[in-house]
């Protein structure tokens, strides 16, 4: 009887060990966006990484109805009233600003988010161009800032897309 119980216990341990070796846990982070430049914008953004892909979702409220640029910026610093402390767009590969779908774009060029008549907006994106805490300076979003702008990104004006003032900001930190 003791041998059967010991064998069953070992079998369970082997199954658990094999199972945990084949599963990849998601690495996720949720941040809170806060108003800047006198706006009333607030919201959350979630980054979740699994199997080399990062899923991004931002949900915002308090926006003026219409289109607003949203970008990852160089620094996790939202201390300035206008969020200028977050620096410019995150561009570790030193290329031109553009649309996310263009061959050439900043790693932080998320694009535009459209607010409905009540000022609410959601955006999602899935990419292998980012990672969460991997240490690769060309991919790692930790230590950067997430900025929502007052105006749409025109995708052509260099280096910012002419997206206007920074109306919401959050540091991308754990």
């Amino acid at each position: 009887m003791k041998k059967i119980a010991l064998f069953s216990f070992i079998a369970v341990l082997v199954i658990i060990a094999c199972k945990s070796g084949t599963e990849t846990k998601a690495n996720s982070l949720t941040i809170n966006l806060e108003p800047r430049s006198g706006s009333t914008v607030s919201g959350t953004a979630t980054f979740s990484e699994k199997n080399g892909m990062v899923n991004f979702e931002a949900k915002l409220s308090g926006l003026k109805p219409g289109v607003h640029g949203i970008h990852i910026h160089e620094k996790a610093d939202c201390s300035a009233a206008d969020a200028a402390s977050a620096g410019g767009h995150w561009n570790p590969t030193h290329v031109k600003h553009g649309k996310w779908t263009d061959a050439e774009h900043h790693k932080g060029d998320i694009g535009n988010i459209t607010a409905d008549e009540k000022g609410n907006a959601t955006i999602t994106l899935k990419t292998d161009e980012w990672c969460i805490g991997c240490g690769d300076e060309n991919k790692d979003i930790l230590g950067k800032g997430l900025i929502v702008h007052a105006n749409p990104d025109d995708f052509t004006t260099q280096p910012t897309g002419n997206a206007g003032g920074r109306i919401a900001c959050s540091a991308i930190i754990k």
Side-chain angles (χ1 to χ4, degrees):
M1 186 67 147
K2 286 183 183 181
K3 286 184 184 179
I4 294 172
L6 180 60
F7 177 76
S8 296
F9 177 71
I10 292 171
V12 168
L13 286 178
V14 168
I15 291 168
I16 291 170
C18 288
K19 205 173 191 186
S20 65
T22 59
E23 290 180 6
T24 304
K25 279 189 157 181
N27 179 14
S28 66
L29 169 68
T30 299
I31 58 175
N32 295 313
L33 287 137
E34 298 180 352
R36 289 292 179 268
S37 303
S39 81
T40 60
V41 179
S42 64
T44 61
T46 301
F47 299 89
S48 181
E49 181 179 15
K50 187 172 182 180
N51 298 327
M53 295 297 289
V54 173
N55 288 301
F56 165 73
E57 180 179 52
K59 294 181 179 184
L60 300 163
S61 62
L63 290 161
K64 289 185 180 174
V67 182
H68 303 272
I70 183 168
H71 307 108
I72 295 177
H73 283 245
E74 301 170 308
K75 301 174 191 169
D77 183 354
C78 296
S79 61
D82 64 356
S85 50
H89 290 185
W90 176 45
N91 184 18
T93 54
H94 309 287
V95 296
K96 289 182 179 179
H97 172 73
K99 266 186 190 172
W100 185 261
T101 54
D102 291 347
E104 194 169 61
H105 61 274
H106 299 159
K107 293 284 182 155
D109 286 343
I110 296 171
N112 286 318
I113 187 169
T114 303
D116 64 19
E117 65 282 347
K118 294 181 181 178
N120 299 316
T122 300
I123 187 170
T124 60
L125 174 73
K126 186 174 184 175
T127 182
D128 63 357
E129 291 191 39
W130 299 341
C131 67
I132 304 171
C134 69
D136 180 340
E137 67 183 38
N138 289 327
K139 291 181 77 168
D140 200 343
I141 60 170
L142 285 184
K144 309 298 182 272
L146 183 63
I147 299 286
V148 178
H149 293 272
N151 300 325
D153 184 331
D154 67 14
F155 304 115
T156 54
T157 303
Q158 299 300 320
T160 63
N162 197 29
R166 300 169 185 202
I167 57 173
C169 183
S170 182
I172 304 173
I173 54 175
K174 286 195 172 194

